[in-house]
Amino acid sequence: MGFTLMELLFVMAILAVLGAVLLPVFLSGRRSAQKAACLQNLHQIGIALALYVQDYDEAFPSYTVDPDNRAHPDDLLAWHNNFCRAEDLKPSEISWASLALPYALSDLYGMSTQGDSPLFCPADTDRKARPVTSYEFKMFLSEGVHINDVEYPADTAMVWEQWDYHDPEHYSEHDSRAHLNTVFVDGHAKSVWLQDTTSARYGNGPDLHWPFIGQGKSAPYTYHDTLP
C-alpha cells in the first residue's frame, strides 16, 4: 500500500525537525572530538620541545638559528610571524616548528608527515594561510631562554592555537573571549580562557607572547607579571 501525499509530507516534516534538533548535537560532538585531538597534539608538541631542550643545553628553539632573523633582531613582526607562527616562510627560513618537527615525528610516538601530524589542529581548515603549523610559539622563549630561566614553568604558556578554531566565532589570540588549547613549559596541556590570563598588552586584550603567568584574573601588562 502506497503513501498518500499528506503522509509523505508529514514524514518529511518529522525528518526535518529531527535533523534540525540533531545537527547541532552532531556538530558539537565533532567540535569536542577535534578539541580533544588538538589537545593531544599540544601534549605531543610539549614532549617534542622537551626533547629538543634536552639536546640543546636546556635552551628553547631560538629565532637566532635563522641567519635572516639574527641579522634583524629588532624586526619583531618578522620574528613573530616567521619564527613563532611559521607564516610566509621562504624555503630557507627556519621556524620553531621545523626545529621541533623531527622530535614530534619520532617513531616513539608513531607520528607521520601525513594528515595526522601533531603540528596541525584538526579544526584548522585554512592550511593555505597556515601551511606549516596551526600553533604558535612564545616569543619570549625564542630569545635564547633556558628552561631554568622560566620562573613558573607550570603556569607559563609555551605553545598555543593561533586562533580559537573550536569556537564558531574563531576569536583571535588577542581576544579575551578566546578559549585556546595551550601547552605549558612544564609539558602539561589544557584549554585556557584568555579572560583568565594575567597579561594584557593590546588594550584590554591578553598577550601570550612575553613573560606572563597564564592563570588568574586579567591585569595590565607589566612585562614581568607575577602570580595573582
Side-chain angles (χ1 to χ4, degrees), residues 73-93:
D74 297 325
D75 190 347
L76 298 184
L77 185 61
W79 174 9
H80 170 259
N81 290 344
N82 296 351
F83 187 82
C84 295
R85 289 175 71 97
E87 293 181 340
D88 301 322
L89 291 177
K90 300 173 185 176
S92 62
E93 287 183 318

Side-chain angles (χ1 to χ4, degrees), residues 45-87:
I45 288 171
I47 294 173
L49 288 171
L51 293 172
Y52 178 96
V53 166
Q54 194 174 45
D55 278 353
Y56 287 88
D57 298 325
E58 304 297 309
F60 290 98
S62 172
Y63 77 101
T64 58
V65 171
D66 190 310
D68 290 339
N69 288 336
R70 190 164 60 248
H72 304 91
D74 297 325
D75 190 347
L76 298 184
L77 185 61
W79 174 9
H80 170 259
N81 290 344
N82 296 351
F83 187 82
C84 295
R85 289 175 71 97
E87 293 181 340

Side-chain angles (χ1 to χ4, degrees), residues 161-189:
E161 297 174 288
Q162 292 188 25
W163 291 85
D164 187 350
Y165 306 117
H166 308 286
D167 190 288
E169 298 297 327
H170 292 290
Y171 298 119
S172 83
E173 60 176 321
H174 300 304
D175 193 315
S176 62
R177 294 170 295 178
H179 193 199
L180 302 181
N181 282 339
T182 304
V183 63
F184 292 77
V185 171
D186 73 336
H188 84 279

